Amino acid sequence: MTQAPSISVGIVGGTGYTGVELLRLLSQHPNVRLHAITSRSENGMPVAQMFPNLRGHVDLRFQTPEQADLRHCDVVFFATPHGVAMREARSLLDQGVRIIDLAADFRLQDTTAFEHWYNMPHSCPDILAQAAYGLVECNRPAISAARVIGNPGCYPTTVLLGLAPLLQSTRPLIDTDHLIADCKSGVSGAGRKAEVGMLYAEAGDNFKAYGVAGHRHQAEIDEQLRRLAGGRDVGLTFIPHLVPMIRGMFSTLYARILPEARDVDFQALFEAHYANEPFVDVMPAGSQPETRSVRGANRLRMAVHRQKDQLVILVVQDNLVKGASGQAVQNMNLLFGLPETAGLAHVALLP
Amino acid sequence: MTQAPSISVGIVGGTGYTGVELLRLLSQHPNVRLHAITSRSENGMPVAQMFPNLRGHVDLRFQTPEQADLRHCDVVFFATPHGVAMREARSLLDQGVRIIDLAADFRLQDTTAFEHWYNMPHSCPDILAQAAYGLVECNRPAISAARVIGNPGCYPTTVLLGLAPLLQSTRPLIDTDHLIADCKSGVSGAGRKAEVGMLYAEAGDNFKAYGVAGHRHQAEIDEQLRRLAGGRDVGLTFIPHLVPMIRGMFSTLYARILPEARDVDFQALFEAHYANEPFVDVMPAGSQPETRSVRGANRLRMAVHRQKDQLVILVVQDNLVKGASGQAVQNMNLLFGLPETAGLAHVALLP
Amino acid sequence: MTQAPSISVGIVGGTGYTGVELLRLLSQHPNVRLHAITSRSENGMPVAQMFPNLRGHVDLRFQTPEQADLRHCDVVFFATPHGVAMREARSLLDQGVRIIDLAADFRLQDTTAFEHWYNMPHSCPDILAQAAYGLVECNRPAISAARVIGNPGCYPTTVLLGLAPLLQSTRPLIDTDHLIADCKSGVSGAGRKAEVGMLYAEAGDNFKAYGVAGHRHQAEIDEQLRRLAGGRDVGLTFIPHLVPMIRGMFSTLYARILPEARDVDFQALFEAHYANEPFVDVMPAGSQPETRSVRGANRLRMAVHRQKDQLVILVVQDNLVKGASGQAVQNMNLLFGLPETAGLAHVALLP
Amino acid sequence: MTQAPSISVGIVGGTGYTGVELLRLLSQHPNVRLHAITSRSENGMPVAQMFPNLRGHVDLRFQTPEQADLRHCDVVFFATPHGVAMREARSLLDQGVRIIDLAADFRLQDTTAFEHWYNMPHSCPDILAQAAYGLVECNRPAISAARVIGNPGCYPTTVLLGLAPLLQSTRPLIDTDHLIADCKSGVSGAGRKAEVGMLYAEAGDNFKAYGVAGHRHQAEIDEQLRRLAGGRDVGLTFIPHLVPMIRGMFSTLYARILPEARDVDFQALFEAHYANEPFVDVMPAGSQPETRSVRGANRLRMAVHRQKDQLVILVVQDNLVKGASGQAVQNMNLLFGLPETAGLAHVALLP
């Protein structure tokens, strides 16, 4: 029996929800050794004291970056606010450490858009230029060769995977000027930040839209839609909503079928497109996916419906897993030549 | 000081959510005297035993229809399953009793559609022909003269009021062939019926679409949209979703602006349209309404957004109040010449 | 017809949950005129912009205390953090304004305990000495004559009203050295403050105890229990818990019946004790009260159970109404000679 | 490398929550091969159609017991209503199949109590007499030798493990005549049954006690407490409550310390008692456990608090894992000589 390769992993940040979720996944990954986790503000605190679900599973304490000495890692995950990874990327890369950033620093090639939405200049456009957009199902070759991966946002993951089979088709199928993404997210998408609007007493028993005038993920979605469409501009109206649930994301995508594509079997098209993807589940015709069917699992499920010339794609994922930390581990697996499913075989928790 | 007119009210059914909500509203209505409430299955049980919020407010017991002798009422509300009101309507009308049906029996003039969606023939098409569709803001004259009112469904209320200013405009404003209504409802919309899918353990911490292949309210919406549009057919894709909250409905409506209407000030159009409506609140430009802002109140709020040539209307209501029992009381007020707001001035419960 | 007396009311604070709840209740109170509401931080903002449920009901804007000129009010409610009311009380009292404080400044006569639990010295012990503890059912004469009222805490309201019939009995009934109050509160009890622990993603789908090592309300409960017991010390173990719901408080009280009291009919005792109280509902024997039966209503319900020599009292209230703002209005009614139920007849919202 | 032993497993029932949870755990257990799952009513339906979280993990279809031929299994789990396992036990035992029953058929040795609480005579008292009570931490030797295991109820698991260190002590520590267990359960404890009281619209945003007049688990707790106490009767008041959350159980246990035991270090006592238990976590002094810290994990956490002569033990578990299916797998592991933790190393899902 050969020894499984052991990857030394560091986590920068880690006091938020993507951080604790990375720890849940990595602490049981057969090929991973957790080297260190950093947080200046929580320096010295056992991780399991902040996140008691990790008691008995993770013995690390938060360290300062200096103590952590991440240069000895094979890969470092940034589970930090936007702007941190790009500051620290170069010195790690110089040591041969690979980087997977769960924030937005390496998602948008359009630095003007980045600066507009994230209110900061991009500090390393040269590194950004080499970074791969970490949506594995659409970008495998680039990711496996990359040194820096920009892990996709949660909304973009659902919208892009839901529309990819339509946009990547060789013949035109839909009106790409007037797509609609009506998206709904659980509250954990807002992160573990003290904000009045995310209190249980505010977000509970309530439903609302937000960011209607413009949401950061729009730029990321637009850039990637254009790529999927072979460089053509794609017009998308994107309306995010907040659901009183902890985890889960549901995107209802509307596309108008072109007159010349009315004969297409869209169910078959989607099934064929994702036939070999372990983490994308095209459900049988007529299905109505539920977010809980992927709670805690690195899986995205979708169903294809049609009403006359209107195509309706329903997509669900766990925003913290396939929409964040699970996808990051999937990227790591690809990067290090492991089976993509290594450490990611969890069955969703239902009920 | 003149005595306020006192209306004698009967309720048929009343063991469901629209029933208890009617009782909450009517028990404090200054012009109402509750005559009787009927339920064969619960005959003899104090209403306040089933619904303990009514302890100290409603002393009635459920009675059989025979005991209740509803012929002495001025008006009878049917808070029953579909099909009951049409069976009992004629004998009440013969006695001069007016009828407000909260089920679907008197909503759809198209009896073929009724039979398709509700799996039963319509037993009194002649009465149906005289019934008024009880969406007050769109149908005041007919309602005030009616003997039978079909109280609108919850989804239709949001979709119709959200689109009316566009469809009733004298000049064409939007592409009426490709409207989209992405609707989200709290679980009380499913009623107080023992169903596995509505258990807390199933519907909690979860989000899903349902009825994607076709929902009963589609026919009702289509019939009324056509009316609002002056008889022209209107094409609408309607996708309902289930939200883990008790009360509340949120409809996100998408309409494409016609090239010739790009100069229209839609905010002003909506504000003017509803300027005198006590129960419709067109919020200031840029607003993002929340369902909790109307929890327990007979009010529908909406906000008008625009992204290039795409109009996005956000509509919220409490599905049990403006979407059901409150609207029924509003109809009663109109029917009996009371101020429409009588007994309906509740401030929503927030948080 | 004589004109109802109109009370001019000011509110200091009002950006929290007790503030918005006061506004909900007072804006529909038949004898109240809202004079002003103050908030330095939100000066100039319409109240209804922060709390959209008030749109169409409250036209006030937040003002600075200087602008508000509260000296012209008949009564001022303090819905502020602890420590504010005692700073501002004297100047208002000098103008003849009465004060109802929803914070803790005038609850505890024991200033040492106050300083221990609230980390500040008491700045006006002379005014405190004249203040009445605003638990109407136990303290009517003092309240009606008072100039300053300390509105009770939410937990104390349930514990005190649940135990009062036992402690005020002329013969000894229970072992008063070993009482237990296992209390459960909805999250709105923590107020509208940005705190990580109260985020939906933290408090949702979760149950926990808190403050086990000591909770501020213990001192208040102890002081009042002693009063109810005629000056004798009472021993109570008080364990508060946090429930994933917005409003509602449930207290399970355990008392051991003394051997000499085994013949007592406790159900009858409780019913007699509260026979004339409009806001206390002793439910029939065998009842199991639910928090939702009082959601939004100024009512406290209780049920009396017995297992051998163990008495178990179940008490529910809405922590923001009978546990805070509704009780404050009840105090105001008493203070101004109005019927105690004026403006407080709401039926609870169920479901 | 030696091949891990493969246990052939059958499941009877499996359309409820303990069933789907068994499938989640067993489908990833390294030593288990799922042989069959039976349900007469769902015969032929793919399990993953009913429980979509199992898509891609479990390919079985529900079968009739006849088709399933469970005699070839090594062990059969009964995830059925009470009364099924005792009917089918003998024929399976005759074939050498071991039985783990998740219902109550083999929990209570006192058949009179069984008949009282479950309204049916016990059909195989001889088999019952040999059955082991499956609370591993208290009953290891008997379980490992058993052919039939009665898997404990969820409430009893928390109460018994929370009190065992006190009752099994060689010196008397607490007043065992007046113990109190104030217990709170998530709604999944009621099972996947269509019941009005468990609807989201009924159980959501609500808190209540239930079964106050007597709960089935009381008899089971009493019988086992007596055993832990060496045969002495123990007096316990047990009040269960329903929490608006899906999974999770919280028990607050109150015990009065005897005068002669006031010097005992209870924290140390508990830590020593459970020092070698992989699934019981005695948290550091001062801790306040949360149910979410064990969501999805086979772990029970507890904290020991003291207020003067009152001991307060706080216990949390996931009612479907340590309180049901996880504990059943733990029993299976013990029965077949596997490490108790095999297939049970899940990290709880937080948030």
Side-chain angles (χ1 to χ4, degrees):
Chain A
M1 185 192 178
T2 44
Q3 182 66 38
S6 182
I7 306 169
S8 175
V9 170
I11 299 176
V12 179
T15 62
Y17 293 143
T18 55
V20 61
E21 192 66 356
L22 272 176
L23 289 165
R24 181 177 75 92
L25 300 173
L26 293 173
S27 67
Q28 303 210 293
H29 194 294
N31 310 109
V32 161
R33 192 166 40 79
L34 281 172
H35 171 77
I37 178 162
T38 71
S39 163
R40 282 198 194 283
S41 61
E42 306 300 341
N43 179 26
M45 182 197 270
V47 172
Q49 185 173 322
M50 176 172 282
F51 298 119
N53 62 323
L54 301 175
R55 278 177 64 85
H57 296 285
V58 176
D59 290 333
L60 293 177
R61 289 169 182 267
F62 290 109
Q63 292 179 294
T64 63
E66 292 73 29
Q67 296 165 333
D69 203 357
L70 299 172
R71 295 168 305 169
H72 299 130
C73 294
D74 296 307
V75 61
V76 166
F77 292 90
F78 283 86
T80 46
H82 309 296
V84 175
M86 66 185 184
R87 273 204 315 272
E88 305 191 11
R90 196 174 314 272
S91 70
L92 289 169
L93 291 174
D94 286 349
Q95 303 290 328
V97 182
R98 291 189 191 167
I99 290 173
I100 300 175
D101 178 31
L102 283 83
D105 301 13
F106 298 107
R107 289 176 189 164
L108 276 172
Q109 288 300 332
D110 178 348
T111 53
T112 309
F114 178 83
E115 296 188 20
H116 171 71
W117 286 107
Y118 296 94
N119 284 316
M120 57 181 93
H122 203 288
S123 63
C124 54
D126 59 323
I127 297 176
L128 173 63
Q130 311 162 30
Y133 186 72
L135 189 63
V136 177
E137 290 78 4
C138 298
N139 206 23
R140 231 173 228 109
I143 294 167
S144 55
R147 296 192 308 149
V148 179
I149 293 171
N151 205 55
C154 47
Y155 285 120
T157 300
T158 60
V159 176
L160 297 171
L161 292 179
L163 295 175
L166 301 171
L167 296 175
Q168 295 187 314
S169 162
T170 48
R171 64 184 264 211
L173 299 174
I174 54 167
D175 171 1
T176 54
D177 292 333
H178 295 94
L179 298 169
I180 288 172
D182 191 288
C183 300
K184 300 90 174 173
S185 175
V187 296
S188 62
R192 192 170 163 275
K193 290 188 304 283
E195 266 181 82
V196 166
M198 292 296 152
L199 293 175
Y200 189 101
E202 299 282 313
D205 213 46
N206 188 36
F207 190 91
K208 65 171 182 180
Y210 69 100
V212 178
H215 185 285
R216 289 170 167 187
H217 284 175
Q218 177 97 42
E220 179 183 342
I221 296 172
D222 287 349
E223 187 170 296
Q224 295 297 326
L225 284 178
R226 199 178 308 119
R227 232 177 96 180
L228 292 174
R232 281 167 294 135
D233 268 357
V234 172
L236 176 85
T237 299
F238 165 51
I239 307 288
H241 302 74
L242 188 69
V243 184
M245 65 180 174
I246 296 176
R247 289 166 179 250
M249 176 165 283
F250 191 107
S251 291
T252 312
L253 309 174
Y254 298 89
R256 207 179 303 170
I257 300 168
L258 293 175
E260 59 268 35
R262 295 224 172 114
D263 61 319
V264 172
D265 179 342
F266 288 95
Q267 176 73 26
L269 176 83
F270 273 70
E271 288 183 4
H273 191 94
Y274 289 121
N276 298 315
E277 290 298 343
F279 295 124
V280 178
D281 176 16
V282 177
M283 300 180 77
S287 295
Q288 296 180 140
E290 307 184 73
T291 59
R292 63 181 187 146
S293 79
V294 292
R295 188 192 289 136
N298 192 55
R299 198 162 289 223
L300 180 146
R301 298 192 204 278
M302 62 177 72
V304 182
H305 290 264
R306 181 174 177 171
Q307 293 188 5
K308 296 184 187 148
D309 69 345
Q310 191 75 52
L311 208 57
V312 184
I313 319 291
L314 310 176
V315 186
V316 298
Q317 71 174 4
D318 183 325
N319 54 303
L320 294 180
V321 192
K322 183 60 180 164
S325 303
Q327 183 146 265
V329 173
Q330 186 184 352
N331 273 305
M332 180 196 76
N333 287 344
L334 179 53
L335 210 51
F336 288 88
L338 298 170
E340 258 175 56
T341 55
L344 290 175
H346 307 79
V347 182
L349 204 64
L350 179 160
Chain B
M1 185 191 178
T2 44
Q3 182 66 38
S6 182
I7 306 169
S8 174
V9 171
I11 299 175
V12 179
T15 62
Y17 293 142
T18 53
V20 60
E21 192 66 356
L22 273 176
L23 288 165
R24 179 176 76 91
L25 300 173
L26 294 173
S27 67
Q28 303 210 291
H29 194 295
N31 309 109
V32 160
R33 194 168 39 80
L34 282 171
H35 170 78
I37 178 162
T38 70
S39 163
R40 281 198 194 284
S41 60
E42 307 300 341
N43 179 24
M45 181 197 271
V47 172
Q49 184 173 323
M50 176 171 282
F51 299 119
N53 62 324
L54 301 175
R55 279 177 64 85
H57 297 285
V58 176
D59 290 334
L60 293 177
R61 290 169 182 268
F62 291 109
Q63 291 180 294
T64 62
E66 293 72 30
Q67 297 164 331
D69 203 357
L70 299 172
R71 296 168 303 169
H72 298 130
C73 295
D74 297 305
V75 62
V76 166
F77 292 89
F78 283 87
T80 46
H82 308 296
V84 175
M86 67 186 183
R87 272 205 315 271
E88 307 191 11
R90 195 174 316 270
S91 70
L92 288 169
L93 291 174
D94 287 349
Q95 302 291 327
V97 182
R98 292 189 191 167
I99 290 173
I100 299 175
D101 178 30
L102 283 82
D105 300 13
F106 298 106
R107 290 176 189 164
L108 277 172
Q109 289 299 332
D110 177 348
T111 54
T112 308
F114 178 84
E115 296 189 20
H116 171 71
W117 286 108
Y118 297 93
N119 285 314
M120 56 182 93
H122 202 289
S123 63
C124 54
D126 59 324
I127 298 176
L128 173 63
Q130 312 162 31
Y133 186 72
L135 189 63
V136 177
E137 290 79 4
C138 297
N139 206 23
R140 232 174 228 109
I143 293 166
S144 54
R147 296 194 306 150
V148 179
I149 294 171
N151 205 55
C154 48
Y155 285 119
T157 300
T158 60
V159 175
L160 297 170
L161 292 179
L163 295 176
L166 301 170
L167 296 175
Q168 295 187 314
S169 163
T170 47
R171 65 185 264 212
L173 299 174
I174 54 165
D175 171 0
T176 55
D177 292 333
H178 295 95
L179 298 169
I180 288 172
D182 190 289
C183 301
K184 301 88 174 173
S185 175
V187 296
S188 61
R192 192 169 164 275
K193 291 187 304 281
E195 266 181 83
V196 167
M198 291 296 152
L199 294 176
Y200 190 101
E202 299 282 312
D205 212 47
N206 189 35
F207 190 91
K208 66 172 182 180
Y210 69 100
V212 179
H215 185 285
R216 290 170 167 187
H217 285 175
Q218 176 97 44
E220 179 182 343
I221 295 171
D222 288 349
E223 188 171 295
Q224 295 297 325
L225 284 178
R226 200 178 309 120
R227 231 176 97 180
L228 291 175
R232 280 167 295 133
D233 267 358
V234 173
L236 176 85
T237 299
F238 164 52
I239 307 288
H241 302 75
L242 188 68
V243 183
M245 64 180 174
I246 297 176
R247 289 166 179 249
M249 175 164 285
F250 192 107
S251 291
T252 312
L253 309 174
Y254 298 90
R256 206 179 303 170
I257 300 168
L258 293 175
E260 59 268 35
R262 295 224 171 115
D263 62 318
V264 172
D265 179 342
F266 288 95
Q267 176 74 25
L269 176 83
F270 274 70
E271 287 183 5
H273 191 93
Y274 289 121
N276 298 315
E277 290 297 343
F279 296 125
V280 179
D281 176 15
V282 178
M283 300 179 78
S287 295
Q288 296 180 139
E290 307 184 70
T291 59
R292 63 181 186 146
S293 78
V294 292
R295 188 192 290 135
N298 191 55
R299 197 163 289 223
L300 180 146
R301 298 191 203 279
M302 61 177 72
V304 181
H305 290 265
R306 181 175 176 170
Q307 295 189 3
K308 295 183 188 149
D309 69 345
Q310 190 75 53
L311 208 56
V312 183
I313 318 291
L314 310 176
V315 186
V316 299
Q317 72 175 3
D318 183 325
N319 55 302
L320 294 181
V321 192
K322 183 60 181 163
S325 303
Q327 182 146 264
V329 174
Q330 184 184 355
N331 274 305
M332 180 196 77
N333 287 343
L334 179 54
L335 210 50
F336 287 88
L338 298 171
E340 258 175 56
T341 55
L344 290 176
H346 307 79
V347 182
L349 204 64
L350 178 161
Chain C
M1 186 193 176
T2 45
Q3 181 67 37
S6 181
I7 306 169
S8 174
V9 171
I11 300 176
V12 179
T15 63
Y17 294 142
T18 54
V20 60
E21 191 66 356
L22 272 176
L23 288 166
R24 180 177 74 93
L25 300 173
L26 294 173
S27 66
Q28 304 210 292
H29 194 295
N31 309 109
V32 160
R33 194 168 39 81
L34 281 171
H35 170 77
I37 179 162
T38 70
S39 163
R40 281 198 193 283
S41 60
E42 308 300 341
N43 179 26
M45 181 197 270
V47 172
Q49 184 173 324
M50 176 173 282
F51 299 118
N53 62 323
L54 301 175
R55 278 178 64 85
H57 296 285
V58 176
D59 290 332
L60 293 177
R61 290 170 182 267
F62 290 110
Q63 291 179 294
T64 62
E66 292 73 30
Q67 297 165 331
D69 203 357
L70 299 172
R71 294 168 305 168
H72 299 130
C73 294
D74 296 305
V75 62
V76 167
F77 291 89
F78 283 86
T80 45
H82 308 297
V84 175
M86 65 186 184
R87 272 205 315 271
E88 306 191 10
R90 196 175 313 272
S91 69
L92 290 169
L93 291 174
D94 286 349
Q95 303 289 328
V97 182
R98 292 190 191 165
I99 290 174
I100 299 175
D101 178 32
L102 282 83
D105 300 13
F106 298 106
R107 290 177 189 164
L108 277 171
Q109 289 298 333
D110 178 347
T111 53
T112 309
F114 178 83
E115 296 189 20
H116 172 71
W117 285 108
Y118 296 94
N119 285 315
M120 56 182 91
H122 202 288
S123 63
C124 54
D126 58 324
I127 297 176
L128 173 63
Q130 312 162 30
Y133 185 72
L135 189 63
V136 176
E137 290 78 4
C138 298
N139 206 23
R140 234 174 227 109
I143 294 166
S144 55
R147 296 193 306 150
V148 179
I149 294 171
N151 204 55
C154 49
Y155 285 119
T157 300
T158 60
V159 175
L160 297 170
L161 292 179
L163 295 175
L166 301 170
L167 296 174
Q168 295 187 313
S169 162
T170 48
R171 63 184 266 212
L173 299 174
I174 53 166
D175 172 0
T176 54
D177 292 332
H178 295 95
L179 297 169
I180 288 172
D182 190 289
C183 300
K184 300 90 174 172
S185 175
V187 296
S188 61
R192 192 169 164 276
K193 290 188 303 283
E195 267 182 82
V196 167
M198 291 296 152
L199 293 175
Y200 190 101
E202 300 282 313
D205 212 47
N206 188 36
F207 190 91
K208 65 171 182 179
Y210 69 100
V212 179
H215 185 285
R216 289 170 166 187
H217 285 175
Q218 178 97 43
E220 179 183 343
I221 296 172
D222 288 348
E223 187 170 297
Q224 296 297 325
L225 284 178
R226 199 178 308 119
R227 232 177 95 182
L228 292 174
R232 280 168 294 134
D233 269 357
V234 173
L236 176 85
T237 299
F238 165 51
I239 307 287
H241 302 75
L242 188 69
V243 183
M245 65 181 174
I246 296 175
R247 289 165 178 251
M249 175 164 284
F250 191 107
S251 291
T252 312
L253 310 174
Y254 299 90
R256 206 179 303 170
I257 300 167
L258 293 175
E260 58 268 35
R262 293 220 173 118
D263 61 318
V264 172
D265 179 341
F266 289 95
Q267 176 73 27
L269 176 83
F270 274 71
E271 287 183 3
H273 191 93
Y274 289 119
N276 298 315
E277 290 298 343
F279 295 125
V280 179
D281 176 16
V282 178
M283 299 180 78
S287 295
Q288 297 180 138
E290 306 183 72
T291 59
R292 63 180 185 146
S293 78
V294 292
R295 188 191 291 136
N298 192 55
R299 198 162 290 222
L300 179 147
R301 297 191 204 279
M302 60 177 73
V304 181
H305 289 265
R306 182 176 177 170
Q307 294 189 3
K308 295 183 189 150
D309 69 345
Q310 190 75 52
L311 209 57
V312 183
I313 318 293
L314 310 175
V315 186
V316 299
Q317 72 175 3
D318 184 324
N319 55 301
L320 294 181
V321 192
K322 183 60 181 162
S325 303
Q327 182 145 264
V329 174
Q330 186 184 354
N331 274 305
M332 180 197 76
N333 288 344
L334 179 53
L335 210 49
F336 287 87
L338 298 169
E340 258 174 57
T341 54
L344 290 175
H346 307 79
V347 182
L349 204 64
L350 179 159
Chain D
M1 186 191 176
T2 45
Q3 181 67 37
S6 182
I7 306 169
S8 174
V9 170
I11 300 175
V12 179
T15 61
Y17 293 142
T18 54
V20 60
E21 192 65 357
L22 272 176
L23 288 165
R24 180 176 75 92
L25 300 173
L26 294 172
S27 67
Q28 304 211 292
H29 194 295
N31 310 109
V32 160
R33 194 167 39 80
L34 282 172
H35 171 78
I37 178 162
T38 70
S39 163
R40 281 199 195 282
S41 60
E42 306 301 341
N43 179 25
M45 182 196 271
V47 172
Q49 184 173 323
M50 176 172 283
F51 299 119
N53 62 322
L54 301 175
R55 278 178 63 86
H57 297 285
V58 176
D59 290 334
L60 293 176
R61 289 169 181 268
F62 290 108
Q63 291 180 294
T64 63
E66 293 72 30
Q67 297 164 331
D69 203 358
L70 299 172
R71 295 168 304 168
H72 299 131
C73 294
D74 297 305
V75 62
V76 166
F77 291 89
F78 282 87
T80 46
H82 308 296
V84 176
M86 66 186 184
R87 273 205 313 271
E88 306 191 11
R90 195 175 314 273
S91 70
L92 288 170
L93 291 174
D94 287 349
Q95 303 289 328
V97 181
R98 292 188 191 167
I99 290 173
I100 300 175
D101 179 31
L102 282 82
D105 299 13
F106 298 106
R107 290 176 189 164
L108 276 172
Q109 289 298 333
D110 178 347
T111 54
T112 308
F114 178 84
E115 296 188 20
H116 171 71
W117 286 108
Y118 296 94
N119 286 315
M120 56 181 94
H122 203 288
S123 64
C124 55
D126 58 325
I127 297 176
L128 173 63
Q130 311 162 30
Y133 185 72
L135 189 63
V136 177
E137 290 78 4
C138 297
N139 206 22
R140 232 174 228 108
I143 294 167
S144 55
R147 296 193 306 150
V148 178
I149 294 171
N151 204 55
C154 48
Y155 285 119
T157 299
T158 60
V159 175
L160 297 170
L161 292 179
L163 295 176
L166 301 170
L167 296 175
Q168 295 187 314
S169 162
T170 48
R171 63 184 266 212
L173 299 174
I174 53 166
D175 172 0
T176 55
D177 292 333
H178 295 95
L179 297 169
I180 288 172
D182 190 288
C183 300
K184 300 89 174 173
S185 175
V187 296
S188 61
R192 191 169 165 276
K193 290 188 303 284
E195 266 182 83
V196 167
M198 292 294 152
L199 293 175
Y200 190 101
E202 299 282 312
D205 212 48
N206 187 34
F207 190 90
K208 66 171 181 179
Y210 69 101
V212 179
H215 186 284
R216 290 169 167 187
H217 284 175
Q218 177 97 43
E220 180 182 343
I221 295 171
D222 288 348
E223 188 171 294
Q224 295 297 325
L225 284 178
R226 200 178 308 117
R227 232 177 96 181
L228 292 175
R232 281 168 294 135
D233 268 358
V234 172
L236 176 84
T237 299
F238 164 52
I239 307 288
H241 303 75
L242 188 68
V243 183
M245 65 180 174
I246 297 175
R247 290 165 177 250
M249 176 163 284
F250 192 107
S251 291
T252 312
L253 309 174
Y254 299 89
R256 207 180 302 169
I257 300 167
L258 293 175
E260 58 267 36
R262 295 221 172 116
D263 61 318
V264 172
D265 179 341
F266 288 96
Q267 176 73 26
L269 176 83
F270 273 71
E271 288 183 4
H273 191 93
Y274 289 121
N276 298 315
E277 290 298 344
F279 295 125
V280 178
D281 176 17
V282 177
M283 299 181 78
S287 295
Q288 297 181 138
E290 306 183 72
T291 59
R292 64 181 185 146
S293 78
V294 293
R295 188 191 290 135
N298 192 54
R299 199 162 287 222
L300 180 147
R301 298 191 204 278
M302 61 177 72
V304 182
H305 290 264
R306 181 175 176 171
Q307 295 189 2
K308 295 186 189 146
D309 69 345
Q310 191 74 53
L311 209 57
V312 184
I313 319 291
L314 310 175
V315 186
V316 299
Q317 72 175 2
D318 183 325
N319 55 301
L320 294 180
V321 192
K322 183 59 180 163
S325 302
Q327 182 146 264
V329 173
Q330 185 184 355
N331 273 306
M332 180 197 77
N333 287 343
L334 179 54
L335 211 50
F336 287 89
L338 298 170
E340 257 174 58
T341 55
L344 290 175
H346 307 78
V347 182
L349 204 64
L350 179 160

